[in-house]
Amino acid sequence: MEKAAFKKAAWINNTNIYEVNFRQYTSEGSFNAFANQLPRLRNMGVETLWFMPITPISEKNRKGSLGSPYACSDYSSINPEFGSLDDFKNLVNKAHSMGFKVIIDWVANHTGWDHIWTKNHSDYYKKDAATGDFQIASGMDDIIELDYGNPSLRIAMIQAMEYWVRECDIDGFRSDLAFWVVLDFWKEARCHLEKIKTLFWLAEADPIDNPEYLEAFDAAYTWSWMHKTAAFYKGTVDLSVLMNVLNQYEVICKNNSIPLWFTSNHDENTWNGTEYEKYGDMAKLLSVFSFTWTGMPMIYSGQELPNAKRLEFFEKDMIEWNGNYQLHDFYKTLLELHTSNPALRAADAKCNTCLIKTVEKNNVIAFLRKNENYEVLVLLNFSNETISFEFQHEKPDGKYKNVFSKELAEIKKGMKFELQPWGFLLYEK
């Protein structure tokens, strides 16, 4: 079955994602407390809310005092840490009334050790030949792996996913470690759920490593870009490596699939460091890239603060909100541009991304996004030096507006541009 057979939600081409970590977002860590943040996020321009797992957490072999939200104990219940089912329904309804879409994290590969299925459906699990017990998931001893060779497990899993669509009217799934689950299950699940509602399907899988998963999913993670840009900032690879990665995504995704760009998420922040630990002064430049290159941009909880600390994964460790959202306007500008300008639509055959050659040999990435008469011009300085340059060719030309300063500019052949270290210029025609 090819991906073309699936329906595609009409709203996904210009959307963005904001990942919500309920546990660390507020002192209460609840659905109701987070609901108070919706007006601020809507004002900032957020379109789609991704909620980290909302299901209860296993007690057996739990890590830390609160455990991992990715160690589920029941696929069809609410984690009482966050509130009740009615609380969640109210949150989704309020989000929908304000124009948000809502997707939830779905952890299909594994459960916690005392999931209800371990008691009444132990045949749903893989077994460890050496111990005769459940098979531990690779590298994580608080979770055990499900057996997708069992048709009954597949039916039960799809029914659990269906529950959240029917009961709470969610708009899609972010599929955790999607590439650890056999591809044909995702196709089966999507076929079934499509009869209820056209959903958005986001895979935690990289198109470069697992291109076949784009047959079942609308969008997928750009892990390769994330790792290579971190290596670039450390000086271990050069710009040609980054351009090669972008070319691979373009070849694989074409105009059918959407790469998801990000500088932080729950895993990266906790285990590998904040965006500032990984990218330093290059962090904002990468955000500009994420919102303007073809694809879908994502923001993690607290990046608008900005959050400069690693958040604990298995304990309560609240984001240190201070009421001063220093990057609110920065992200609002990018979010609104990405949503409103047709030149930035993802997976749209009418959109083109044209790299622009510069006269000087330098670390500038310049590109033009175009959709008929709509144009967005992006200039990025991937270096710690001030760079002056001009374009090799006449295009682009005409009247543009600087997206951040709102100043008008007449761009023409021979025009000199100057970018500060790790600086950027963003123009809208």
Side-chain angles (χ1 to χ4, degrees):
M1 180 186 305
E2 293 300 322
K3 182 178 177 179
F6 295 123
K7 299 175 186 176
K8 183 178 289 188
W11 52 270
I12 67 175
N13 303 84
N14 267 98
T15 200
N16 55 66
I17 294 178
Y18 185 94
E19 181 188 1
V20 180
N21 185 337
F22 284 116
R23 177 181 287 171
Q24 315 301 18
Y25 212 96
T26 62
S27 57
E28 301 91 340
S30 66
F31 299 136
N32 292 339
F34 174 75
N36 296 326
Q37 302 297 319
L38 292 179
R40 176 180 66 81
L41 294 176
R42 194 65 183 141
N43 175 268
M44 195 167 74
V46 172
E47 294 288 329
T48 300
L49 299 165
W50 154 26
F51 297 147
M52 286 173 62
I54 57 174
T55 49
I57 297 170
S58 289
E59 296 279 352
K60 184 178 179 181
N61 295 334
R62 170 177 285 194
K63 288 184 177 293
S65 61
L66 296 178
S68 168
Y70 294 86
C72 174
S73 66
D74 183 354
Y75 281 114
S76 301
S77 296
I78 288 285
N79 184 350
E81 178 185 344
F82 303 145
S84 67
L85 178 61
D86 283 341
D87 292 338
F88 183 69
K89 287 182 179 180
N90 290 337
L91 174 59
V92 175
N93 289 337
K94 182 175 182 179
H96 281 164
S97 72
M98 296 176 68
F100 291 104
K101 300 295 183 182
V102 173
I103 65 174
I104 63 171
D105 225 319
W106 197 255
V107 190
N109 178 73
H110 50 262
T111 75
W113 279 85
D114 54 11
H115 189 281
I116 56 173
W117 287 347
T118 62
K119 301 172 181 65
N120 51 23
H121 293 289
S122 62
D123 59 314
Y124 286 1
Y125 292 85
K126 294 179 180 179
K127 300 299 191 300
D128 187 321
T131 65
D133 207 342
F134 298 117
Q135 182 171 307
I136 298 172
S138 177
M140 293 173 277
D141 56 11
D142 62 331
I143 52 177
I144 48 179
E145 295 202 341
L146 292 161
D147 180 8
Y148 280 86
N150 185 334
S152 297
L153 175 273
R154 289 172 177 245
I155 293 171
M157 184 63 74
I158 291 171
Q159 288 175 341
M161 299 176 80
E162 179 182 343
Y163 170 83
W164 296 102
V165 180
R166 291 192 185 278
E167 191 72 21
C168 301
D169 194 29
I170 63 163
D171 302 294
F173 295 96
R174 178 268 182 186
S175 300
D176 181 69
L177 290 171
F179 64 102
W180 280 16
V181 179
V182 290
L183 176 59
D184 63 348
F185 166 75
W186 294 119
K187 293 182 178 181
E188 182 182 353
R190 185 161 183 172
C191 279
H192 183 91
L193 294 171
E194 202 170 70
K195 298 172 185 175
I196 307 170
K197 183 177 182 178
T198 302
L199 302 169
F200 169 48
W201 294 77
L202 168 62
E204 187 188 17
D206 192 309
I208 292 176
D209 299 322
N210 305 102
E212 69 278 12
Y213 278 75
L214 295 177
E215 295 172 18
F217 288 90
D218 298 309
Y221 275 47
T222 54
W223 288 119
S224 297
W225 172 256
M226 186 204 70
H227 292 307
K228 293 301 183 185
T229 49
F232 175 86
Y233 189 72
K234 294 173 183 175
T236 58
V237 302
D238 61 24
L239 197 63
S240 66
V241 173
L242 301 190
M243 299 310 299
N244 180 58
V245 171
L246 294 181
N247 182 64
Q248 290 182 72
Y249 285 127
E250 183 178 356
V251 170
I252 294 167
C253 294
K254 300 183 176 69
N255 291 317
N256 300 313
S257 303
I258 303 174
L260 179 79
W261 308 100
F262 55 96
T263 57
S264 187
N265 61 26
H266 62 277
D267 280 321
E268 285 302 305
N269 171 275
T270 297
W271 309 117
N272 297 324
T274 70
E275 59 192 310
Y276 302 104
E277 288 181 76
K278 295 195 305 176
Y279 304 123
D281 293 333
M282 189 172 70
K284 288 183 71 174
L285 174 143
L286 290 179
S287 290
V288 173
F289 170 88
S290 297
F291 280 83
T292 53
W293 193 262
T294 180
M296 184 181 295
M298 188 187 83
I299 301 172
Y300 179 46
S301 296
Q303 284 193 267
E304 69 272 33
L305 187 57
N307 175 42
K309 80 166 185 175
R310 299 191 187 196
L311 302 175
E312 291 285 343
F313 209 78
F314 310 120
E315 308 291 345
K316 180 71 176 176
D317 185 21
M318 188 180 158
I319 297 166
E320 295 175 347
W321 302 109
N322 57 17
N324 181 19
Y325 308 100
Q326 294 181 41
L327 297 185
H328 174 96
D329 290 345
F330 170 74
Y331 280 117
K332 181 174 182 174
T333 298
L334 292 173
L335 287 160
E336 291 182 345
L337 177 70
H338 185 271
T339 301
S340 65
N341 196 306
L344 299 181
R345 283 174 58 82
D348 187 332
K350 293 190 298 183
C351 292
N352 295 307
T353 303
C354 176
L355 285 168
I356 302 170
K357 293 184 178 179
T358 59
V359 173
E360 298 83 357
K361 300 296 182 183
N362 51 45
N363 278 326
V364 169
I365 294 181
F367 60 93
L368 185 71
R369 298 292 308 282
K370 187 169 183 176
N371 182 343
E372 296 179 341
N373 294 324
Y374 296 94
E375 293 183 12
V376 173
L377 174 63
V378 186
L379 310 176
L380 306 171
N381 179 6
F382 279 79
S383 81
N384 60 1
E385 299 177 352
T386 300
I387 293 178
S388 297
F389 63 96
E390 62 184 80
F391 299 146
Q392 275 190 4
H393 306 293
E394 294 183 13
K395 296 292 183 179
D397 65 275
K399 293 181 179 179
Y400 290 76
K401 178 177 68 175
N402 184 308
V403 173
F404 287 101
S405 72
K406 309 304 181 186
E407 295 176 352
L408 296 179
E410 181 81 23
I411 295 179
K412 53 190 176 181
K413 185 178 180 180
M415 181 175 177
K416 280 279 187 181
F417 297 91
E418 182 173 283
L419 290 174
Q420 297 302 308
W422 309 113
F424 47 83
L425 286 171
L426 184 56
Y427 294 98
E428 186 176 22
K429 194 164 190 179

